[in-house]
Amino acid sequence: MSKVICAHAVSVDGFITGRDPGAGRGLGDASMLFDWYFDGDTPSQVFGGFKLSAPSARLFDALAARVGAIVAGRRTYDDSDHFGGGSPHPGARLVVLSHRPAPEITDRQTLVTTGVHDAIAAAREAAGGKDVGLMGGGVVTAALRAGLVDEVVLHQVPVLIGGGRPFFGELPEHVRLRLVEAVPAPGVTHLRYEVAR
């Protein structure tokens, strides 16, 4: 069965955006969280336009190649200008999890309003046997609460942002992780964990 993974660029103090993120403003004052996508000399084999360091490209492309569908939360969807009617991943279908209608949804996107279980089930169907990626702190937290996450990948950027949206929300209990891989790279350290069951 496909795995459910979340992989986010995150500050050392746990933020995935800075202050004042939103449509047309991206990550707010935290654009440095994505600098490592473009600071290298190795083109990504999955994402056109990305030029990463060699160690980042190896790990990033291996993860990206596994993903067949993405579940994103409504705030992430809106803040990202609806991903231009497509998906944040060039080869993956987008499922948007929302509790309210989204009239801007296109035929290349799927809206699910009945909760995280149904959104992940729809993404698994769309993924064609590949893994499901999660995007946005709210979706990740909901999936962790439901026990649906298999891997957590932190692309940890060496900065303390001091404010913005945190990656993880409050959880009702501890979620134990097992470190599988740690890859230091220029401007980022990649930490890949399995969720211990």
Side-chain angles (χ1 to χ4, degrees), residues 137-185:
V139 165
V140 169
T141 299
L144 284 166
R145 284 181 185 145
L148 298 173
V149 179
D150 299 301
E151 290 184 27
V152 175
V153 180
L154 304 177
H155 303 296
Q156 192 176 66
V157 177
V159 63
L160 300 171
I161 292 176
R165 291 191 191 134
F167 187 17
F168 302 104
E170 188 173 321
L171 297 168
E173 58 189 30
H174 296 156
V175 176
R176 301 245 180 234
L177 304 175
R178 183 180 318 107
L179 183 64
V180 174
E181 186 175 20
V183 179

Side-chain angles (χ1 to χ4, degrees), residues 95-176:
V95 175
V96 179
L97 176 59
S98 179
H99 297 292
R100 60 189 194 278
E104 60 281 341
I105 290 285
T106 70
D107 60 357
R108 294 171 27 214
Q109 303 168 333
T110 301
L111 176 66
V112 174
T113 60
T114 52
V116 71
H117 284 91
D118 290 343
I120 289 175
R124 275 201 163 110
E125 185 174 327
K130 287 188 158 189
D131 291 342
V132 171
L134 304 178
M135 190 172 186
V139 165
V140 169
T141 299
L144 284 166
R145 284 181 185 145
L148 298 173
V149 179
D150 299 301
E151 290 184 27
V152 175
V153 180
L154 304 177
H155 303 296
Q156 192 176 66
V157 177
V159 63
L160 300 171
I161 292 176
R165 291 191 191 134
F167 187 17
F168 302 104
E170 188 173 321
L171 297 168
E173 58 189 30
H174 296 156
V175 176
R176 301 245 180 234

